[in-house]
Amino acid sequence: MDKIRRNGSSTRWRKLRLFVLKRDDYTCYYCGITTANTVDHLTPLHKGGTDELSNLVTACKPCNYSKGSKTEQQYNRKRLRKKKEREMIRFFDEPKT
């Protein structure tokens, strides 16, 4: 039986988490920062996701927390929409020459 810590993590999860961080070279799956230190489920557990390696990615805290319980597709759509909005603002703010 896995020993459970006060924060709820088991020995198995800690080993799995470290494996994923090393596999992904501590690089955030969502933004590419190279100092990421959390592991995210692409499909959240409560939406049918598992702890399989194919469902786990390294994520920085800001990306992991902002993704929350969204699926990868839901989160990426939101991020793409914001990127397009920023591009439109830049387009209209550029000086005319």
Side-chain angles (χ1 to χ4, degrees):
M1 190 85 187
D2 285 335
K3 186 175 181 179
I4 305 293
R5 285 192 176 171
R6 285 185 188 168
N7 66 1
S9 73
S10 66
T11 303
R12 180 182 175 281
W13 174 252
R14 288 189 300 276
K15 287 179 181 178
L16 193 57
R17 179 184 172 278
L18 185 58
F19 179 85
V20 172
L21 291 169
K22 288 180 178 179
R23 177 196 69 186
D24 297 345
D25 198 28
Y26 294 86
T27 303
C28 180
Y29 176 80
Y30 303 107
C31 72
I33 193 169
T34 57
T35 56
N37 60 359
T38 67
V39 173
D40 183 45
H41 292 86
L42 293 172
T43 302
L45 294 174
H46 76 279
K47 292 188 178 181
T50 65
D51 284 341
E52 296 292 320
L53 289 174
S54 60
N55 190 46
L56 298 173
V57 294
T58 298
C60 64
K61 283 184 181 180
C63 286
N64 197 352
Y65 294 156
S66 68
K67 178 180 172 273
S69 64
K70 299 176 203 68
T71 65
E72 177 188 14
Q73 292 79 17
Q74 291 168 327
Y75 182 64
N76 283 334
R77 263 189 250 129
K78 182 179 176 183
R79 290 180 66 222
L80 288 173
R81 189 173 336 126
K82 285 186 176 183
K83 181 180 176 185
K84 286 180 182 179
E85 288 171 4
R86 285 193 304 270
E87 288 172 356
M88 288 297 290
I89 291 169
R90 261 190 248 131
F91 174 78
F92 288 109
D93 287 345
E94 289 179 2
K96 308 282 191 269
T97 56

